[in-house]
Amino acid sequence: MSDQQLNNLIKMLEQIIANNLHQGDSEHVAAVAADHLHKFWARSMKQIIVTYANENPTGLSAIAKRAIAQLDVKV
Amino acid sequence: MLHYYNPNTQDYQPGTSALNPDFDYGTAASVSQTLVSIAVDGRAITVPEGTSVLRAAALAGINIPKLCASDNLEAFGSCRLCAVEIEGRRGYPASCTTPVAEGMAVTTQTGKLAKLRRNIMELYISDHPLDCLTCPANGNCELQDVAGVVGLREVRYGFEGENHLHAETDSSNPYFSFDPSKCIVCSRCVRACEEVQGTFALTIEGRGFASVVSAGQSEDFMDSECVSCGACVQACPTSSLMEKSVIDAGQPEHSVVTTCAYCGVGCSFKAEMKGDQVVRMVPYKGGDANHGHSCVKGRFAFGYATHKDRIKEPMIRDSINDPWQVVSWDEALTFAANKLKSIQAQYGRESIGGITSSRCTNEETYLVQKLVRAAFGNNNTDTCARVCHSPTGYGLKTTLGESAGTQTFDSVMKADTIVVIGANPTDAHPVFGSLMRKRLRQGAKLIVIDPRRIDVLNTPHGGEGLHLALRPGTNVAIVNALAYVIVSEGLEDQDFITSRCDNEAYNTWRTFIAEERNSPEATEGVTGVPAEKVREAARIYAQAGNGAIYYGLGVTEHSQGSTMVMGIANLALATGNIGREGGGVNPLRGQNNVQGSCDMGSFPHELPGYQHVNDSEARHRFEAVWGVTIDDEPGLRIPNMFDAAIAGTFRALYVQGEDIAQSDPNTHHVEAALKSLDCLIVQDIFLNETAKFAHVLLPGSTFLEKNGTFTNAERRINRVRKVMQPIAGMEDWEVTMALSNALGYPMHYNHPSEIMDEIAVLTPTFTGVSYDKLEQLGSIQWPCNDENPDGTPTMHTIDFPIGKGRFAVTEYLATEERATRRFPLLLTTGRILSQYNVGAQTRRTSNSDWHEEDLLELHPSDAELRGVKDGDWLGISSRVGHTVLRAKISERMLPGVVYTTFHHPGSGANVITTDNSDWATNCPEYKVTAVQVEVVSQPSEWQRDFKSFDKRQQALLAPAMQNRDNAHAASLK
């Protein structure tokens, strides 16, 4: 993992969330974002973001953390 | 579909009811439902009302001589050769301009008619060079044929009088010449330029004997407005307008119908051949996408196939600093397979991947994604559609349930209002652009939503279009404003919404869109488009009758590309413009097989037919046929591959027919990723920019060298037929198959038709597709299955694949890429008519005569502010890079917006584009880059590095190419 790769993943996730804020309350938006990651992100991308969120979640919004928590990946 | 050359035959084998596309019936078909019966020379024939006598006779098998008539043009009645006698009528009416009438009795051959026709021909020939034996049209000349048919035996007037025999030939166009001495002034070329192409570049200058065909205002063809589409050359009945390739090589002896490999229109062409040499490409009248029309690329720019730069042998090297070493196919494939296997052994199954090409056939892209999924054992497959139309897939699937456009191209002829958003059809999809212009000349209204004033707004005799010149990056704001007007002014089609759309989704959307913040007045400050113009556009579209939307990469290549696609679908659903001819949502696909490469499962999350990899039922069907377990997790997309390569977890890549080093954004980042790879396998026809970073170079084959199918922007599957042997001995699908076998995953196909048979088994929308059916029908628009055995020209006529149409909320979010004091201008990029994408093909043809370098277009006010003059060298800086291009001052730009193309690698257009991307698909935001521009005196640092890297890589290739040429020379001895 590189900083650039991680930063891009964080940016992408926050962008997904920003474009789905209209979907409802933060819980629902987090579920929508998690579903998007589930459908479109590679396993390795999900592993990186989950690992990061578990270790040092700086720079992640509350909704992003909640979305990541819903991902079902082994790290 | 092999044709032996016989231009006069009306016999036509394929199909049953179709007319012979190789035969000219004189005038166009009438679409009337009322039938009229007449007798021609005693032969009864029933035809639609409005049919000309000339056409009716041809349909009855009676060929009336003609010279000025052609069935792709309006009847003109100038040559008078088609004169006939009609019972009860006086004189000798021209059969081309005379419509049939019930009970009409026509006689085409009498002594008087024969004399009349001979007299006309005598006059023509008295001013025509009698050099038939040395004329390039010899054997394929309508004038010669008609002289024979009318029995011309003498020219009583002699050849000494005033004539045009010494008129000077205009050879300015690189592809065809105009020899006025051979011209009979039939006006077919002028009419073809007007009626078929819609450019109006040609005219007849002078009157009577002084009449001559003139390009522009007595200019050379090259200096005129001529766009070199070839329609005039096609229409010419003599050799006055003639392809230089035919002048050089002589008339072809056979032809093969195939599909053009440029752009998403997918024109059918007859490759006219001498042995295995293409003499010319002639647009095929039987092609359902183009009906016999063409553009400068497909018609003329095929010389790259035999260019000296072609890679003809496999090559390998351990490092990109080593010279290329020519090896056998076996050696190259074993080398590649061993590298891939050892990388996977060391770094894991997911450390390698592949990229399919939208320039290759359906069968080839299918095999590459199968190779990745079955032989690599992961889903790390992606395609160049990632960087163009991936948001179309996401947006249309979400709203309409299928990742494809809804119409045929011909549907535009029933549109009452045409909306063009972020597309430039006259340049990027020229043959469809001509059809659109034809409809505009018939009176359809035009709305263009684009920062630039594109040429379709300047359609001669096309009425005045409404141009919403929005600021780059504000698409969603404007589509919401249009929808706001439709909702707030009661312009919705409530019947359609109630019966065809999901009620809950509609109500949610309607509540959102009706908010005041979406109104044209509220968004005017964001978009820069006056509110009243937006209201006018919304009213015109919603009240059109048939409203059709055509869009391109100006929609998709944004941070909200997918949102905008959904916004477009919302407009069509709200106004009921779906499910019938004349309306629809029509993505104009960039490359020839973008639709097909997406259909074939190139994306990392989808198996062929857009079946998600985590859909276990779909996955199990593939697993049963492929004999492997397929990963149920999506793979890496192209930008994710680059990030992973730089991070060191992605180590090898197989790229078929795509030049990511030139075409993808943020070149520094792409180059860093490519340099990080342990093994890059490039399969291409040239040493492209990506190949300069490769370790294995596998020779690709052009569309002329292989069999397969392309699927165009209207979902039309068209056959690609081999007209010459592949230059390195293998078609692209054979190379992928051999690589798979070398990796230990067996693939055995004898012909691409067998690959299509497998696709049909596994893809619900393709179950009825086969090569036999393609031969029978000519082409098929998918879905083609039990419900739609002959294909589906118009989609969603009864319901949607998801049942009801789903409105989507499209909240506008400004892109992070904004103009600032440091970078005050916004750059957009695009294509030009004569060049094609990265230019690898067109730059190796004379098309470069029209566009030899990429230029930076900027508005006069921005130029004045910076002291820029036309032709100045300009440094263009963004937050990621810097490059230098020459200035072109252009009124078509908005102030504050600059534009360039990316056809030449040394331009470095993508050095300055950023890696911002669409939120849903990662499609890059090519259309919005904040830049500053200043006059400079030298190339950029990147350009200097590029030049030296290119020189080094060419030097590493040169010995291999030289050895090959020496070996070839020796074999000739």
Side-chain angles (χ1 to χ4, degrees):
Chain A
M1 180 186 72
S2 68
D3 287 350
Q4 183 184 43
Q5 188 181 22
L6 175 66
N7 290 339
N8 279 346
L9 294 178
I10 294 171
K11 181 178 168 184
M12 283 158 55
L13 174 54
E14 296 294 355
Q15 209 182 347
I16 292 163
I17 291 167
N19 277 277
N20 283 286
L21 286 175
H22 60 82
Q23 299 271 7
D25 60 21
S26 56
E27 192 173 337
H28 190 62
V29 174
V32 169
D35 183 57
H36 191 92
L37 268 49
H38 175 63
K39 282 182 181 159
F40 299 106
W41 278 27
R43 181 186 290 109
S44 57
M45 294 160 69
K46 286 181 272 203
Q47 285 170 337
I48 291 169
I49 203 93
V50 168
T51 304
Y52 179 72
N54 289 343
E55 290 171 0
N56 175 24
T58 319
L60 288 171
S61 66
I63 299 179
K65 287 177 199 165
R66 197 176 289 195
I68 293 166
Q70 295 177 34
L71 293 179
D72 179 24
V73 286
K74 289 179 189 161
V75 292
Chain B
M1 196 183 284
L2 186 68
H3 289 249
Y4 285 92
Y5 209 78
N6 184 0
N8 293 320
T9 183
Q10 289 179 62
D11 299 331
Y12 185 57
Q13 300 300 328
T16 48
S17 61
L19 297 174
N20 181 357
D22 292 322
F23 188 78
D24 188 340
Y25 292 84
T27 62
S30 166
V31 293
S32 172
Q33 299 294 311
T34 308
L35 296 179
V36 172
S37 295
I38 68 166
V40 183
D41 294 338
R43 206 177 291 183
I45 177 87
T46 300
V47 293
E49 188 176 34
T51 302
S52 73
V53 170
L54 177 65
R55 185 179 177 92
L59 291 166
I62 294 167
N63 300 321
I64 302 171
K66 59 181 171 52
L67 280 173
C68 74
S70 183
D71 58 13
N72 65 340
L73 303 173
E74 296 287 327
F76 198 53
S78 79
C79 77
R80 315 304 294 182
L81 275 162
C82 69
V84 292
E85 291 183 26
I86 298 174
E87 196 176 281
R89 295 196 189 183
R90 285 187 299 176
Y92 306 97
S95 59
C96 65
T97 53
T98 306
V100 293
E102 186 60 41
M104 185 182 262
V106 179
T107 306
T108 71
Q109 302 291 345
T110 67
K112 282 185 177 174
L113 287 171
K115 189 175 177 187
L116 182 66
R117 289 173 185 150
R118 268 197 295 275
N119 284 346
I120 294 167
M121 283 305 294
E122 201 175 350
L123 286 165
Y124 273 132
I125 301 303
S126 71
D127 189 13
H128 194 83
L130 296 179
D131 60 353
C132 287
L133 287 180
T134 54
C135 177
N138 189 19
N140 185 20
C141 171
E142 290 183 46
L143 188 70
Q144 194 180 49
D145 294 344
V146 174
V149 165
V150 304
L152 184 68
R153 297 291 174 261
E154 60 172 344
V155 176
R156 290 166 294 170
Y157 311 110
F159 300 92
E160 307 305 319
E162 199 178 345
N163 58 55
H164 300 86
L165 300 182
H166 302 290
E168 202 176 322
T169 298
D170 174 358
S171 298
S172 60
N173 186 291
Y175 295 120
F176 62 85
S177 62
F178 172 54
D179 178 356
S181 75
K182 304 278 176 69
C183 178
I184 60 168
V185 202
C186 63
S187 293
R188 275 166 66 166
C189 56
V190 176
R191 290 183 286 141
C193 190
E194 293 175 0
E195 297 170 25
V196 179
Q197 168 56 26
T199 296
F200 290 72
L202 304 181
T203 189
I204 300 291
E205 193 178 86
R207 303 185 68 178
F209 186 76
S211 301
V212 288
V213 171
S214 171
Q217 296 183 318
S218 302
E219 295 161 289
D220 283 345
F221 269 77
M222 202 58 184
D223 295 330
S224 75
E225 290 178 334
C226 167
V227 292
S228 198
C229 68
C232 58
V233 181
Q234 177 78 350
C236 183
T238 72
S239 69
S240 186
L241 284 156
M242 177 58 82
E243 298 93 344
K244 290 180 176 177
S245 58
V246 175
I247 295 173
D248 289 344
Q251 288 289 326
E253 43 80 18
H254 75 277
S255 68
V256 180
V257 175
T258 190
T259 304
C260 180
Y262 289 119
C263 103
V265 178
C267 295
S268 296
F269 276 87
K270 284 205 297 183
E272 296 196 345
M273 311 290 298
K274 263 180 131 84
D276 68 349
Q277 176 197 358
V278 179
V279 176
R280 65 178 166 190
M281 298 290 284
V282 178
Y284 183 51
K285 201 167 68 177
D288 291 318
N290 61 316
H291 305 297
H293 190 37
S294 60
C295 78
V296 63
K297 295 189 283 284
R299 180 72 155 93
F300 296 116
F302 56 86
Y304 70 88
T306 50
H307 195 274
K308 65 178 176 53
D309 291 351
R310 282 292 301 274
I311 301 297
K312 295 182 180 172
E313 285 157 309
M315 302 180 203
I316 57 172
R317 59 183 178 179
D318 284 318
S319 146
I320 67 166
N321 297 313
D322 291 343
W324 285 104
Q325 183 190 344
V326 173
V327 293
S328 68
W329 276 107
D330 273 351
E331 222 173 322
L333 292 163
T334 305
F335 180 87
N338 288 342
K339 285 250 183 195
L340 294 171
K341 282 193 277 193
S342 80
I343 288 167
Q344 276 192 308
Q346 190 174 352
Y347 297 99
R349 185 167 51 88
E350 294 173 16
S351 60
I352 67 174
I355 297 179
T356 76
S357 174
S358 294
R359 297 183 206 183
C360 287
T361 64
N362 285 318
E363 293 75 7
E364 286 160 350
T365 52
Y366 175 85
L367 280 203
V368 172
Q369 63 85 33
K370 179 177 177 179
L371 171 88
V372 171
R373 294 195 157 101
F376 292 4
N378 62 47
N379 286 315
N380 291 335
T381 170
D382 208 357
T383 183
C384 35
R386 172 66 49 210
V387 299
C388 65
H389 265 290
S390 51
T392 288
Y394 183 90
L396 295 188
K397 182 130 186 163
T398 304
T399 49
L400 307 182
E402 194 59 270
S403 303
T406 59
Q407 309 296 120
T408 62
F409 287 137
D410 287 350
S411 164
V412 76
M413 296 308 287
K414 292 188 177 169
D416 299 304
T417 292
I418 298 168
V419 186
V420 181
I421 312 177
N424 188 8
T426 55
D427 277 42
H429 305 88
V431 168
F432 176 66
S434 290
L435 193 66
M436 184 183 279
R437 281 184 150 174
K438 189 175 198 172
R439 184 59 184 160
L440 293 173
R441 290 197 302 277
Q442 291 174 352
K445 290 178 178 160
L446 174 67
I447 298 164
V448 169
I449 304 176
D450 200 296
R452 292 197 311 148
R453 188 173 173 79
I454 58 172
D455 282 347
V456 76
L457 281 160
N458 301 326
T459 294
H461 308 288
E464 190 157 339
L466 185 60
H467 183 200
L468 310 187
L470 79 174
R471 293 191 185 110
T474 63
N475 281 340
V476 174
I478 210 142
V479 85
N480 285 347
L482 290 166
Y484 175 91
V485 177
I486 289 167
V487 164
S488 63
E489 296 191 6
L491 303 176
E492 293 165 276
D493 184 339
Q494 285 297 349
D495 288 345
F496 183 88
I497 293 167
T498 305
S499 61
R500 299 288 311 272
C501 300
D502 181 90
N503 194 43
E504 189 183 340
Y506 166 68
N507 287 332
T508 306
W509 173 78
R510 198 181 193 288
T511 304
F512 154 75
I513 209 71
E515 290 176 24
E516 179 61 26
R517 64 196 172 93
N518 289 319
S519 71
E521 290 73 19
T523 52
E524 181 175 331
V526 173
T527 64
V529 181
E532 200 41 52
K533 266 195 170 185
V534 178
R535 287 188 176 274
E536 186 185 353
R539 290 167 193 150
I540 292 172
Y541 171 68
Q543 297 175 316
N546 287 333
I549 301 177
Y550 295 88
Y551 72 87
L553 306 186
V555 159
T556 55
E557 291 176 345
H558 286 273
S559 64
Q560 283 199 296
S562 294
T563 311
M564 181 60 182
V565 172
M566 293 188 282
I568 288 171
N570 288 341
L571 287 185
L573 291 173
T575 55
N577 276 306
I578 291 275
R580 64 171 190 277
E581 282 196 291
V585 175
N586 303 276
L588 295 174
R589 307 287 187 159
Q591 301 202 68
N592 50 316
N593 202 33
V594 172
Q595 181 70 55
S597 73
C598 298
D599 300 342
M600 292 298 106
S602 297
F603 288 140
H605 65 286
E606 284 171 335
L607 294 158
Y610 305 99
Q611 302 173 85
H612 203 283
V613 292
N614 62 28
D615 173 349
S616 56
E617 189 273 327
R619 206 173 57 249
H620 293 333
R621 276 191 286 111
F622 281 85
E623 288 173 343
V625 173
W626 292 357
V628 294
T629 301
I630 298 170
D631 193 349
D632 62 355
E633 287 276 349
L636 295 165
R637 298 173 286 201
I638 293 173
N640 314 141
M641 291 180 193
F642 293 153
D643 285 347
I646 291 169
T649 54
F650 188 76
R651 316 288 295 202
L653 181 63
Y654 168 46
V655 184
Q656 185 182 74
E658 188 183 354
D659 195 358
I660 46 182
Q662 188 181 339
S663 64
D664 285 34
N666 193 353
T667 306
H668 290 297
H669 183 64
V670 177
E671 289 178 351
L674 296 179
K675 282 178 186 167
S676 303
L677 297 171
D678 294 335
C679 179
L680 175 60
I681 304 162
V682 169
Q683 185 173 327
D684 211 285
I685 58 175
F686 298 116
L687 182 84
N688 63 16
E689 300 315 306
T690 308
K692 291 171 187 170
F693 297 90
H695 307 91
V696 181
L697 187 48
L698 303 173
S701 46
T702 69
F703 76 112
L704 296 167
E705 298 159 49
K706 58 192 174 188
N707 284 301
T709 55
F710 292 150
T711 306
N712 75 357
E714 43 169 13
R715 296 169 279 104
R716 187 181 302 284
I717 307 162
N718 249 321
R719 277 283 275 115
V720 178
R721 296 182 177 88
K722 183 159 76 173
V723 306
M724 57 172 74
Q725 290 307 312
I727 207 160
M730 282 214 256
E731 301 176 33
D732 285 309
W733 61 273
E734 292 176 297
V735 178
T736 305
M737 193 166 76
L739 178 58
S740 185
N741 289 328
L743 281 163
Y745 177 75
M747 285 191 193
H748 299 292
Y749 304 97
N750 297 303
H751 189 271
S753 63
E754 295 174 6
I755 307 173
M756 181 56 84
D757 292 342
E758 184 175 310
I759 294 165
V761 166
L762 293 169
T763 311
T765 46
F766 275 65
T767 52
V769 180
S770 69
Y771 276 39
D772 284 346
K773 189 175 270 186
L774 283 165
E775 288 297 326
Q776 188 193 337
L777 300 179
S779 66
I780 299 170
Q781 286 176 273
W782 67 260
C784 175
N785 43 29
D786 289 345
E787 296 84 58
N788 308 284
D790 291 342
T792 311
T794 306
M795 290 193 79
H796 316 312
T797 50
I798 298 166
D799 56 12
F800 295 92
I802 47 173
K804 302 272 187 182
R806 285 191 67 83
F807 283 86
V809 172
T810 52
E811 189 77 63
Y812 167 67
L813 287 182
T815 170
E816 288 179 9
E817 188 69 13
R818 292 171 202 178
T820 61
R821 186 174 292 184
R822 188 170 163 218
F823 301 114
L825 303 170
L826 292 178
L827 169 79
T828 74
T829 63
R831 301 202 314 217
I832 201 165
L833 171 66
S834 55
Q835 297 283 0
Y836 180 63
N837 278 20
V838 294
Q841 293 141 286
T842 45
R843 278 186 283 108
R844 290 178 171 93
T845 70
S846 294
N847 275 32
S848 287
D849 291 4
W850 283 275
H851 184 84
E852 56 187 5
E853 63 179 319
D854 296 316
L855 302 168
L856 188 82
E857 289 185 38
L858 73 170
H859 189 268
S861 63
D862 291 321
E864 188 182 17
L865 196 66
R866 292 163 177 79
V868 175
K869 300 187 296 298
D870 243 351
D872 279 351
W873 288 107
L874 294 181
I876 308 130
S877 306
S878 74
R879 64 183 171 84
V880 299
H882 175 72
T883 196
V884 172
L885 298 169
R886 281 207 289 188
K888 182 183 176 188
I889 298 170
S890 168
E891 292 276 2
R892 72 164 65 197
M893 306 307 302
L894 272 179
V897 181
V898 295
Y899 169 84
T900 191
T901 49
F902 55 94
H903 302 306
H904 296 266
S907 303
N910 281 320
V911 173
I912 42 182
T913 53
T914 71
D915 47 15
N916 282 351
S917 65
D918 172 47
W919 68 270
T921 64
N922 273 160
C923 178
E925 190 183 34
Y926 288 106
K927 301 298 184 185
V928 191
T929 307
V931 296
Q932 178 57 296
V933 166
E934 60 181 344
V935 177
V936 294
S937 57
Q938 60 176 354
S940 70
E941 188 182 341
W942 179 87
Q943 283 168 315
R944 290 195 296 272
D945 289 348
F946 169 82
K947 208 168 174 181
S948 94
F949 182 66
D950 177 59
K951 197 173 166 187
R952 191 148 46 90
Q953 289 299 323
Q954 296 292 354
L956 295 173
L957 178 71
M961 298 287 265
Q962 186 62 48
N963 289 344
R964 175 198 76 189
D965 293 343
N966 290 345
H968 180 64
S971 73
L972 291 177
K973 283 177 188 167

